[in-house]
Amino acid sequence: MNGEEIYHPGSWIEYEGITMLSDGELERYKRQIPLFGEEGQDKLKGSAIFIAGAGGLGSPVSLYLAAAGVGRLIIADNDAVDLTNLNRQILHGGRSVGERKTESAARRLSDLNPDIEITAIDRRIDEESISGIVKGADGIVDAMDTFEVRYLLNQVAYKREIPLFHGGIRGFYGQATTIIPGETACLSCIFPHPPPSEVIPVIGATAGIIGSVQANEVLKYLLGMGELLTDRLLLWDGMRSEVDMIAVERNPGCPVCGGMKR
């Protein structure tokens, strides 16, 4: 793909600035519309979310957001599907091995829900590309496995004043939090120093649990419902099937968010 974007256009209708649901969409979403009404479904349809990574966390996040009807998903990855990915990266299958992850992801998500738009970007997320890649998004999902990129996502979220939905996994353990610029502790407040670099062992179920939490946070934010995981770090212990919550606070001296008003 050489960094080019692939567009899979959705089928929504816009009239005088109002997004309208088709008959097919009303049928598709009939089991969730009673939760937040057609107006809520319209909000999802008119939203765009950037997902950094089409791997272990990006798979459940993108699948559930696509299934829920978020109108545009922007997915960036710069890797090919490998056989070792398939224990957890459920966007891809055996026939996708060797294919670019963005191509595999776009095909799977378009098949799941042809009424949404998928923008797949086969490009490395770095200081040069990050601003352009995130442009137009209403929120950022951190589905990465390196803190170098996570910190970039955190910085661009604050620059654009859009939320960051963080998730991380290792083995049977995982974590998640939601960051709202100007209101909550940012990723650099919570993790001022990156952990040692390693090849992270993980099982698919852990990615599914944390990715589902992240998708749930995105939906609550877009719909304006429920209580977000703000200033709280959710810790999942899969060995004990227990969830703990740790309160986190903004660092007044944080180089990213310390100067922002609350």
Side-chain angles (χ1 to χ4, degrees):
M1 291 174 47
N2 299 320
E4 297 181 359
E5 300 182 3
I6 296 179
Y7 293 90
H8 295 258
S11 60
W12 65 72
I13 303 167
E14 291 189 0
Y15 178 72
E16 294 184 351
I18 300 175
T19 305
M20 302 174 64
L21 300 171
S22 67
D23 290 342
E25 289 170 313
L26 291 172
E27 179 68 18
R28 174 183 289 272
Y29 305 122
K30 69 185 299 182
R31 295 292 295 273
Q32 65 188 39
I33 286 176
L35 295 172
F36 39 73
E38 291 183 28
E39 180 180 355
Q41 194 66 54
D42 270 338
K43 287 182 179 179
L44 296 183
K45 187 169 188 176
S47 300
I49 293 294
F50 172 70
I51 302 171
L57 288 172
S59 290
V61 170
S62 60
L63 285 167
Y64 279 120
L65 294 185
V70 174
R72 183 182 179 212
L73 298 180
I74 309 162
I75 304 175
D77 203 297
N78 186 223
D79 202 0
V81 180
D82 186 84
L83 186 60
T84 62
N85 301 149
L86 300 186
N87 80 311
R88 64 201 180 282
Q89 299 184 16
I90 56 176
L91 268 176
H92 319 293
R95 287 180 291 181
S96 299
V97 172
E99 185 179 14
R100 303 307 294 175
K101 286 185 180 179
T102 45
E103 294 180 3
S104 175
R107 184 176 60 252
R108 175 70 181 95
L109 295 170
S110 295
D111 178 63
L112 176 65
N113 191 346
D115 291 325
I116 66 171
E117 178 182 307
I118 309 297
T119 302
I121 305 174
D122 189 352
R123 185 172 180 181
R124 180 181 174 83
I125 302 173
D126 54 26
E127 291 184 1
E128 181 181 351
S129 65
I130 183 68
S131 293
I133 290 175
V134 174
K135 186 177 180 180
D138 299 306
I140 298 171
V141 175
D142 169 15
M144 300 303 297
D145 56 5
T146 64
F147 265 79
E148 178 184 3
V149 179
R150 295 182 193 276
Y151 288 140
L152 283 177
L153 297 174
N154 183 59
Q155 291 167 13
V156 78
Y158 271 77
K159 181 179 179 180
R160 295 187 175 274
E161 298 185 355
I162 56 176
L164 175 66
F165 305 94
H166 164 73
I169 53 176
R170 188 185 193 283
F172 287 88
Y173 304 92
Q175 64 196 34
T177 190
T178 294
I179 295 163
I180 308 294
E183 298 182 18
T184 72
C186 80
L187 196 68
S188 292
C189 295
I190 303 171
F191 303 105
H193 306 288
S197 179
E198 65 172 328
V199 177
I200 300 173
V202 67
I203 61 168
T206 305
I209 290 167
I210 299 301
S212 295
V213 170
Q214 290 178 280
N216 192 57
E217 288 293 289
V218 172
L219 295 174
K220 288 190 299 179
Y221 172 78
L222 295 177
L223 293 165
M225 299 176 65
E227 182 179 353
L228 296 171
L229 271 174
T230 49
D231 286 329
R232 295 180 295 156
L233 182 65
L234 179 150
L235 299 176
W236 164 251
D237 182 341
M239 295 299 287
R240 300 173 62 189
S241 294
E242 290 185 353
V243 175
D244 292 317
M245 290 286 183
I246 296 178
V248 295
E249 297 181 350
R250 285 180 70 180
N251 174 11
C254 175
V256 177
C257 73
M260 293 192 73
K261 294 182 179 180
R262 189 162 191 164

